[in-house]
Amino acid sequence: YTPMKVLTYLAALVLLLAATVACTKKPAGAISVTDAWVRATHPGQQTGAAYLSINSATAASLIKVESPAAAHAEIHSMEMQDGIMLMREMDALVLPANQNVSLAPGGNHIMLMNLKQPMIAGEKVPLKLSIKRGDETIQMDVQADVRKN
């Protein structure tokens, strides 16, 4: 190998790596959902809760959740007021640009109501998230793991 060939190969390798990195960056406006899970339920229990983390590259709002596992799903907030934990339905959950928003036990969460079957640990529950960003509404299908806790 001549020094010129080695430099040519190295330059080609650098360009290839740069192109690979450029292709794996989060696209403008991308939305990612991680760690989606549903709490396992007891036999006969009619409600359940789903949790996840969501990140949007641009400002957006989670406006609706649906699941074939429940007749109805709502986005809820929880807050302590005068020593009482209050749970309220939210019209939308704001997703600030490039910030991870967690729906977690004891805080904001997705309430699954009138469950169609028990939530059994080890199974998966499909969730359809509707996210409003500007004038568009994006539908995202998510598979949530059912966990004991």
Side-chain angles (χ1 to χ4, degrees):
Y1 293 104
T2 67
M4 190 56 141
K5 276 190 177 182
V6 171
L7 284 176
T8 302
Y9 286 127
L10 283 175
L13 181 61
V14 167
L15 288 174
L16 181 62
L17 287 172
T20 301
V21 169
C23 290
T24 58
K25 281 187 179 177
K26 189 190 254 186
I31 299 168
S32 63
V33 175
T34 56
D35 198 31
W37 66 283
V38 172
R39 187 184 309 270
T41 59
H42 299 288
Q45 189 174 332
Q46 291 297 301
T47 59
Y51 310 101
L52 51 84
S53 291
I54 187 166
N55 188 301
S56 176
T58 57
S61 295
L62 175 64
I63 58 169
K64 184 177 180 182
V65 180
E66 298 171 277
S67 176
H72 187 66
E74 297 178 352
I75 306 162
H76 280 199
S77 66
M78 286 183 71
E79 65 178 296
M80 187 67 80
Q81 201 171 66
D82 298 323
I84 299 170
M85 185 62 81
L86 298 177
M87 185 168 39
R88 293 194 174 105
E89 182 179 5
M90 302 170 70
D91 292 329
L93 177 66
V94 174
L95 306 172
N98 293 310
Q99 289 187 25
N100 200 46
V101 176
S102 292
L103 285 81
N108 295 337
H109 61 278
I110 298 163
M111 199 76 192
L112 302 172
M113 304 167 97
N114 297 324
L115 294 175
K116 296 179 180 177
Q117 74 254 358
M119 302 290 106
I120 299 169
E123 293 185 352
K124 294 199 179 285
V125 174
L127 301 172
K128 181 178 280 191
L129 310 180
S130 295
I131 299 163
K132 185 147 180 72
R133 187 174 57 199
D135 291 334
E136 71 175 327
T137 299
I138 299 156
Q139 305 284 322
M140 288 190 71
D141 291 317
V142 175
Q143 292 293 315
D145 296 320
V146 180
R147 300 182 192 166
K148 285 188 181 181
N149 217 356

